[in-house]
Protein backbone atom coordinates (compact mmCIF):
# COMPACT_ATOMS: atom_id res chain seq x y z
CA UNK A 1 0.00 0.00 0.00
CA UNK A 2 1.46 3.42 -1.01
CA UNK A 3 0.47 5.10 2.27
CA UNK A 4 2.33 2.47 4.28
CA UNK A 5 5.36 2.84 2.03
CA UNK A 6 5.26 6.61 2.45
CA UNK A 7 5.30 6.23 6.24
CA UNK A 8 8.13 3.70 5.93
CA UNK A 9 10.14 6.26 3.95
CA UNK A 10 9.60 8.86 6.68
CA UNK A 11 10.77 6.34 9.30
CA UNK A 12 14.10 6.05 7.48
CA UNK A 13 14.89 9.58 8.67
CA UNK A 14 14.67 8.67 12.34
CA UNK A 15 18.40 7.94 12.31
CA UNK A 16 19.42 9.67 9.08
CA UNK A 17 19.77 13.42 8.76
CA UNK A 18 19.65 13.31 4.96
CA UNK A 19 19.24 10.62 2.31
CA UNK A 20 19.61 10.56 -1.46
CA UNK A 21 17.09 9.00 -3.83
CA UNK A 22 19.48 6.08 -4.34
CA UNK A 23 19.80 5.50 -0.59
CA UNK A 24 16.02 5.60 -0.06
CA UNK A 25 15.51 3.24 -2.99
CA UNK A 26 18.05 0.76 -1.57
CA UNK A 27 16.73 0.90 2.01
CA UNK A 28 13.14 0.43 0.83
CA UNK A 29 14.05 -2.19 -1.80
CA UNK A 30 12.04 -0.18 -4.33
CA UNK A 31 12.73 0.78 -7.95
CA UNK A 32 14.00 4.38 -8.23
CA UNK A 33 10.94 5.45 -10.20
CA UNK A 34 8.59 4.13 -7.51
CA UNK A 35 10.64 5.68 -4.71
CA UNK A 36 10.77 9.01 -6.55
CA UNK A 37 6.99 9.07 -6.95
CA UNK A 38 6.45 8.43 -3.26
CA UNK A 39 9.04 11.04 -2.30
CA UNK A 40 7.40 13.62 -4.57
CA UNK A 41 4.05 13.03 -2.85
CA UNK A 42 5.57 13.30 0.62
CA UNK A 43 7.52 16.42 -0.41
CA UNK A 44 4.35 18.09 -1.73
CA UNK A 45 2.92 17.87 1.80
CA UNK A 46 6.10 19.38 3.31
CA UNK A 47 7.03 16.23 5.18
CA UNK A 48 10.27 16.08 3.17
CA UNK A 49 12.35 18.77 1.53
CA UNK A 50 15.28 18.54 -0.88
CA UNK A 51 18.60 20.22 -0.23
CA UNK A 52 19.32 22.38 -3.31
CA UNK A 53 23.09 21.80 -3.04
CA UNK A 54 23.45 18.10 -2.21
CA UNK A 55 20.17 16.98 -3.76
CA UNK A 56 19.51 14.86 -0.67
CA UNK A 57 16.20 14.77 1.15
CA UNK A 58 15.64 15.65 4.77
CA UNK A 59 12.63 15.96 7.03
CA UNK A 60 10.49 18.97 6.17
CA UNK A 61 8.74 21.59 8.33
CA UNK A 62 5.54 19.53 8.66
CA UNK A 63 7.43 16.80 10.52
CA UNK A 64 9.19 19.34 12.70
CA UNK A 65 5.86 20.88 13.68
CA UNK A 66 4.47 17.47 14.60
CA UNK A 67 7.60 16.55 16.53
CA UNK A 68 7.49 19.75 18.58
CA UNK A 69 4.06 18.77 19.95
CA UNK A 70 5.25 15.37 21.15
CA UNK A 71 7.10 14.53 24.31
CA UNK A 72 10.10 12.28 23.87
CA UNK A 73 11.45 10.45 26.94
CA UNK A 74 15.05 10.18 25.82
CA UNK A 75 16.66 10.43 22.40
CA UNK A 76 20.02 9.17 21.30
CA UNK A 77 21.90 12.35 22.20
CA UNK A 78 20.38 12.38 25.68
CA UNK A 79 21.55 8.82 26.17
CA UNK A 80 24.98 9.90 24.96
CA UNK A 81 25.06 12.73 27.51
CA UNK A 82 24.32 10.29 30.35
CA UNK A 83 27.12 7.95 29.25
CA UNK A 84 29.59 10.79 28.67
CA UNK A 85 28.80 12.32 32.05
CA UNK A 86 29.79 9.06 33.76
CA UNK A 87 32.99 8.93 31.70
CA UNK A 88 33.74 12.55 32.45
CA UNK A 89 33.35 12.12 36.20
CA UNK A 90 35.36 8.89 36.21
CA UNK A 91 38.41 10.39 34.54
CA UNK A 92 37.87 14.09 35.32
CA UNK A 93 38.02 15.03 31.65
CA UNK A 94 35.79 17.17 29.44
CA UNK A 95 33.47 15.27 27.12
CA UNK A 96 31.55 16.59 24.12
CA UNK A 97 28.89 15.80 21.55
CA UNK A 98 29.46 17.41 18.16
CA UNK A 99 27.89 17.76 14.74
CA UNK A 100 29.57 18.43 11.40
CA UNK A 101 28.65 21.79 9.85
CA UNK A 102 30.48 22.22 6.57
CA UNK A 103 34.18 22.07 7.42
CA UNK A 104 33.46 22.99 11.05
CA UNK A 105 32.52 21.04 14.12
CA UNK A 106 29.56 22.38 16.10
CA UNK A 107 29.54 21.65 19.84
CA UNK A 108 25.98 20.69 20.82
CA UNK A 109 26.61 19.24 24.30
CA UNK A 110 29.49 19.48 26.76
CA UNK A 111 30.15 17.87 30.14
CA UNK A 112 32.71 19.58 32.38
CA UNK A 113 33.58 17.69 35.59
CA UNK A 114 33.19 19.70 38.77
CA UNK A 115 36.37 21.24 40.14
CA UNK A 116 38.48 20.77 37.02
CA UNK A 117 40.28 23.91 35.87
CA UNK A 118 40.36 23.59 32.09
CA UNK A 119 39.13 25.61 29.16
CA UNK A 120 35.42 24.90 28.76
CA UNK A 121 33.66 24.60 25.42
CA UNK A 122 30.71 26.89 24.76
CA UNK A 123 27.61 25.13 23.43
CA UNK A 124 27.04 26.37 19.89
CA UNK A 125 30.71 27.17 19.35
CA UNK A 126 32.44 25.98 16.21
CA UNK A 127 35.99 24.85 15.40
CA UNK A 128 37.66 23.69 12.18
CA UNK A 129 36.93 19.98 11.81
CA UNK A 130 40.52 19.29 10.74
CA UNK A 131 41.74 20.57 14.12
CA UNK A 132 39.59 18.45 16.44
CA UNK A 133 39.41 14.75 17.25
CA UNK A 134 35.69 14.25 16.57
CA UNK A 135 35.97 16.56 13.57
CA UNK A 136 38.64 14.40 11.97
CA UNK A 137 36.60 11.30 12.84
CA UNK A 138 33.64 12.87 11.01
CA UNK A 139 35.74 13.66 7.95
CA UNK A 140 37.16 10.14 7.92
CA UNK A 141 33.62 8.71 7.88
CA UNK A 142 32.63 10.65 4.75
CA UNK A 143 32.76 9.17 1.27
CA UNK A 144 35.59 10.32 -0.99
CA UNK A 145 33.13 12.42 -2.99
CA UNK A 146 31.67 14.09 0.10
CA UNK A 147 35.15 14.81 1.46
CA UNK A 148 36.35 16.31 -1.82
CA UNK A 149 33.28 18.55 -1.96
CA UNK A 150 33.99 19.89 1.53
CA UNK A 151 37.71 20.35 0.89
CA UNK A 152 36.93 22.35 -2.25
CA UNK A 153 34.95 24.95 -0.31
CA UNK A 154 37.87 26.76 1.32
CA UNK A 155 41.50 26.33 2.44
CA UNK A 156 42.06 24.39 5.65
CA UNK A 157 42.24 26.64 8.70
CA UNK A 158 44.58 26.05 11.63
CA UNK A 159 44.32 26.96 15.31
CA UNK A 160 47.78 26.01 16.58
CA UNK A 161 51.17 25.18 15.04
CA UNK A 162 50.16 21.51 15.32
CA UNK A 163 47.00 21.90 13.20
CA UNK A 164 46.92 20.01 9.90
CA UNK A 165 46.39 22.57 7.13
CA UNK A 166 47.77 20.61 4.17
CA UNK A 167 45.15 18.55 2.33
CA UNK A 168 47.51 15.72 1.40
CA UNK A 169 48.65 15.40 5.02
CA UNK A 170 45.05 15.49 6.22
CA UNK A 171 44.04 12.75 3.78
CA UNK A 172 46.83 10.51 5.09
CA UNK A 173 45.63 11.20 8.62
CA UNK A 174 42.03 10.36 7.68
CA UNK A 175 43.14 7.08 6.11
CA UNK A 176 44.79 6.17 9.42
CA UNK A 177 41.66 7.16 11.36
CA UNK A 178 39.43 4.97 9.17
CA UNK A 179 41.69 2.01 9.91
CA UNK A 180 41.90 2.51 13.67
CA UNK A 181 38.36 3.80 14.26
CA UNK A 182 39.24 6.90 16.29
CA UNK A 183 41.01 10.24 15.95
CA UNK A 184 43.39 12.10 18.24
CA UNK A 185 43.73 15.85 18.64
CA UNK A 186 47.31 16.36 19.82
CA UNK A 187 47.27 20.07 20.73
CA UNK A 188 45.82 20.80 17.28
CA UNK A 189 42.84 22.85 18.50
CA UNK A 190 44.35 24.29 21.66
CA UNK A 191 47.91 24.17 22.97
CA UNK A 192 48.17 22.08 26.11
CA UNK A 193 45.04 20.06 25.33
CA UNK A 194 44.87 16.53 23.96
CA UNK A 195 41.69 14.73 22.95
CA UNK A 196 40.30 11.58 21.40
CA UNK A 197 37.10 11.33 19.38
CA UNK A 198 34.96 9.08 17.20
CA UNK A 199 31.55 9.08 15.56
CA UNK A 200 28.23 7.38 16.24
CA UNK A 201 26.88 5.93 12.99
CA UNK A 202 23.50 4.76 11.70
CA UNK A 203 22.55 1.53 9.94
CA UNK A 204 24.18 2.78 6.72
CA UNK A 205 27.42 3.54 8.59
CA UNK A 206 26.81 7.25 8.09
CA UNK A 207 27.91 9.50 10.99
CA UNK A 208 25.09 10.91 13.13
CA UNK A 209 27.14 12.82 15.72
CA UNK A 210 30.58 12.80 17.23
CA UNK A 211 31.69 12.12 20.80
CA UNK A 212 35.01 13.10 22.30
CA UNK A 213 37.01 13.41 25.50
CA UNK A 214 39.71 16.00 26.14
CA UNK A 215 42.04 17.01 28.92
CA UNK A 216 45.33 18.65 29.72
CA UNK A 217 48.13 17.02 27.75
CA UNK A 218 50.00 16.29 30.97
CA UNK A 219 46.99 14.26 32.20
CA UNK A 220 46.13 12.63 28.85
CA UNK A 221 49.30 10.57 28.82
CA UNK A 222 50.11 8.18 26.00
CA UNK A 223 50.13 5.29 28.49
CA UNK A 224 46.50 5.97 29.40
CA UNK A 225 45.10 6.75 25.96
CA UNK A 226 44.31 3.10 25.23
CA UNK A 227 41.89 2.94 28.17
CA UNK A 228 40.20 6.23 27.21
CA UNK A 229 39.81 5.05 23.61
CA UNK A 230 38.29 1.69 24.58
CA UNK A 231 35.73 3.25 26.95
CA UNK A 232 34.75 5.91 24.42
CA UNK A 233 34.53 3.22 21.74
CA UNK A 234 32.18 1.17 23.92
CA UNK A 235 29.84 4.16 24.16
CA UNK A 236 30.02 4.82 20.41
CA UNK A 237 29.39 1.15 19.58
CA UNK A 238 26.38 0.98 21.92
CA UNK A 239 24.82 4.16 20.54
CA UNK A 240 25.48 3.06 16.96
CA UNK A 241 23.74 -0.24 17.68
CA UNK A 242 20.78 1.68 19.10
CA UNK A 243 20.68 3.93 16.04
CA UNK A 244 20.70 0.92 13.74
CA UNK A 245 17.85 -0.69 15.66
CA UNK A 246 19.94 -3.62 16.85
CA UNK A 247 19.14 -2.81 20.50
CA UNK A 248 15.77 -1.98 22.12
Amino acid sequence: MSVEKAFSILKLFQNNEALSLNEISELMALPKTTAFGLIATIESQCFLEQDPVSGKYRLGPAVIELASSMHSSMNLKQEAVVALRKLSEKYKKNTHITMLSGMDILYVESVIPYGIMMASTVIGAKAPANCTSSGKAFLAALSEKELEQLLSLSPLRGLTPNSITDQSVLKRELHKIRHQGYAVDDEESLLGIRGVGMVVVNQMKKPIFGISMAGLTSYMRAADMGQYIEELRAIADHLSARAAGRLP
Side-chain angles (χ1 to χ4, degrees):
M1 185 177 179
S2 60
V3 174
E4 292 175 345
K5 289 178 180 177
F7 279 124
S8 294
I9 288 176
L10 286 174
K11 287 181 179 179
L12 295 178
F13 291 84
Q14 288 177 331
N15 300 313
N16 295 281
E17 190 170 288
L19 290 169
S20 66
L21 172 61
N22 285 344
E23 290 171 336
I24 293 172
S25 175
E26 290 176 8
L27 288 171
M28 290 292 296
L30 291 172
K32 288 183 184 178
T33 52
T34 303
F36 181 79
L38 289 166
I39 292 169
T41 300
I42 301 169
E43 188 179 12
S44 70
Q45 299 300 313
C46 298
F47 283 96
L48 286 180
E49 60 183 11
Q50 189 175 30
D51 188 296
V53 177
S54 68
K56 290 191 173 186
Y57 295 91
R58 60 194 177 203
L59 293 177
V63 174
I64 296 172
E65 290 172 5
L66 286 174
S68 66
S69 65
M70 297 175 63
H71 175 73
S72 176
S73 60
M74 179 179 286
N75 61 26
L76 208 58
K77 289 190 182 69
Q78 289 173 323
E79 187 174 344
V81 169
V82 173
L84 291 176
R85 183 174 291 117
K86 292 178 181 177
L87 191 65
S88 184
E89 290 301 329
K90 179 178 180 178
Y91 291 111
K92 303 303 179 185
K93 304 289 188 296
N94 291 6
T95 54
H96 311 284
I97 297 177
T98 60
M99 299 289 292
L100 187 64
S101 176
M103 271 299 292
D104 288 331
I105 278 297
L106 173 67
Y107 290 91
V108 296
E109 294 287 351
S110 185
V111 179
I112 312 299
Y114 179 76
I116 298 300
M117 298 298 293
M118 199 181 93
S120 59
T121 303
V122 178
I123 303 303
K126 289 185 176 183
N130 54 293
C131 298
T132 69
S133 60
S134 63
K136 289 190 290 184
F138 252 113
L139 296 177
L142 298 177
S143 67
E144 290 296 330
K145 182 178 179 180
E146 290 170 328
L147 179 62
E148 289 298 336
Q149 287 177 337
L150 283 182
L151 293 176
S152 68
L153 296 178
S154 61
L156 294 175
R157 295 180 292 133
L159 296 176
T160 76
N162 293 338
S163 301
I164 300 175
T165 56
D166 182 280
Q167 285 195 17
S168 60
V169 177
L170 177 62
K171 288 178 180 179
R172 288 197 296 271
E173 175 80 355
L174 298 182
H175 177 76
K176 175 183 175 183
I177 292 167
R178 290 187 197 101
H179 177 72
Q180 63 191 19
Y182 65 89
V184 174
D185 163 10
D186 199 356
E187 300 188 78
E188 296 163 57
S189 59
L190 189 65
L191 291 176
I193 301 296
R194 178 176 290 144
V196 59
M198 52 197 69
V199 289
V200 174
V201 299
N202 59 25
Q203 68 267 38
M204 294 184 67
K205 304 300 181 183
K206 297 289 186 180
I208 306 173
F209 57 85
I211 58 175
S212 63
M213 180 168 70
L216 296 173
T217 304
S218 55
Y219 292 98
M220 291 281 284
R221 299 174 300 176
D224 300 321
M225 288 295 283
Q227 182 66 25
Y228 301 150
I229 290 166
E230 288 309 307
E231 295 211 31
L232 201 64
R233 193 197 303 276
I235 294 172
D237 287 348
H238 176 80
L239 294 172
S240 295
R242 291 267 286 159
R246 297 195 302 271
L247 293 175

